[in-house]
Amino acid sequence: MIRLADLDDCFEGVIPSVVATCGADGLPNISYLSHVNRVDDDHIALSNQFFGKTAANLRRNPCATILLVDGRTGAQVRVEAIFVRSETEGALFDRVAAQLAASSAQVGMEATMQLRAVDVFRVLSLQATPTQAPVPPADPDARPDLPALADAVAAIDSAPDLGGACEASLDAAMALLGADAAMILMRDHPRDVLMTVLSRGYETGGAGAEVPFGIGAIGIAAATRQVIRVGDLGRVRRLNAAIEASSEQEARSRRIRLPGLGGALSHMAVPLCSGGALAGVLFVEARRRLAFGRAQEAAAMILARLLAAAMRASEQSPAPAAEPPLPATVTGDGGRILRVRHYGYDDSIFIDDAYIIKGVAGRILAFLIGSHLAEGRDVFSNREIRLAASLRLPGYRDNLETRLILLRRRLEEKSAPIRLVSAGRGQIRLVLDGRPELVEETPGEGPA
């Protein structure tokens, strides 16, 4: 007894499916399918990009035969189905369109593979075809462990601050979802791009690396608010090829290289949404084909919702009363001069000619250094940073805590002589391995 629920690996788009229809004259027509989606236990949906003859046949004869191929084993299943309707809008259409956009963009066919409609069929029968590989049942061991998911939810919910919630989310992504690498990206509202905040499993951290909306799986997940899964990257172009910058060009281009997992064959991008607002994207990768199925997607959505809610709560909650700051600590060579240059036109920061960060995070770092030089202090509260008029933070609620996490991690990754550390609840300390000299540069291209 074959069920649609047992055939998840047939709906990953790894091996094209085939649909056969018949015209009024009895002449059959066969077309290859880029995407077949399971709607529920009784219906499947076919992506319609080029179905001229198929659509014409279905208008006269709604019966169709679809051949599904298991992307993991090669097993084949013949589906007898009857056409029910075409959808050109709605949740199902949006989900299929986002998935199609992500897969076609990675092979350079986004202009060609435009979704016209989603054709929904009611399944009449399922039959395994004679092949050497049997149709495998759903593997219960491949599904996320529910007690482990409950533990992950508790860890995120009980985290003392947003940084702890992000770390707990990455822990869960690696252990619960079986990812070999994971990253959290935040939405940078003024520019509609995503910026990497934290990552695990990569050779380089990439804090501050940017992904524009609509580019690759991450950008499309953000633009469409849809989960994007790709189960076989062996034949598609990596996201990094479209947006990466080499480390030698980092200072010139002011772009930080997005981390990538060598040998990755599967990835999944999950939007971080809460209260109808997008906060960022959770992205996971694995070196196994078909590593992330529907069960992993469901678990990832739970983690993403909880993390997005934590991000939202960190901005909506009143600022906590600041604890007494930690005792001042002298580090490094106090006589060393730290040359800090701030380019106001894009708020990029260079320390001793090394590019650090730009945008709002760069503006915050310049503010902290400038305040230290003017007032002789090194401890700052999140509240005063948020209220500082000179920072020109966005008028709507912007996730300052996430930006501070990003900035702290970027300084650590660069082994910079300037760092940020916690100085108690609701406070950060500026740690300097020398005496900074802050220069406000006039608009220009900056260091070569």
Side-chain angles (χ1 to χ4, degrees), residues 199-222:
S199 62
R200 292 275 181 85
Y202 297 103
E203 292 184 1
T204 58
E210 298 180 356
V211 179
F213 275 33
I215 300 297
I218 295 174
I220 292 174

Side-chain angles (χ1 to χ4, degrees), residues 165-211:
C166 289
E167 295 286 357
S169 298
L170 290 178
D171 289 342
M174 300 289 283
L176 185 65
L177 304 180
D180 294 314
M183 70 177 80
I184 296 171
L185 302 95
M186 65 168 284
R187 179 181 184 177
D188 188 12
H189 291 273
R191 298 181 296 130
D192 261 358
V193 300
L194 297 153
M195 299 184 69
T196 307
V197 178
L198 293 173
S199 62
R200 292 275 181 85
Y202 297 103
E203 292 184 1
T204 58
E210 298 180 356
V211 179

Side-chain angles (χ1 to χ4, degrees), residues 318-320 381-388 400 426:
S381 70
N382 292 359
R383 178 180 177 81
E384 70 173 298
I385 295 172
R386 182 176 287 112
L387 297 178
L400 173 64

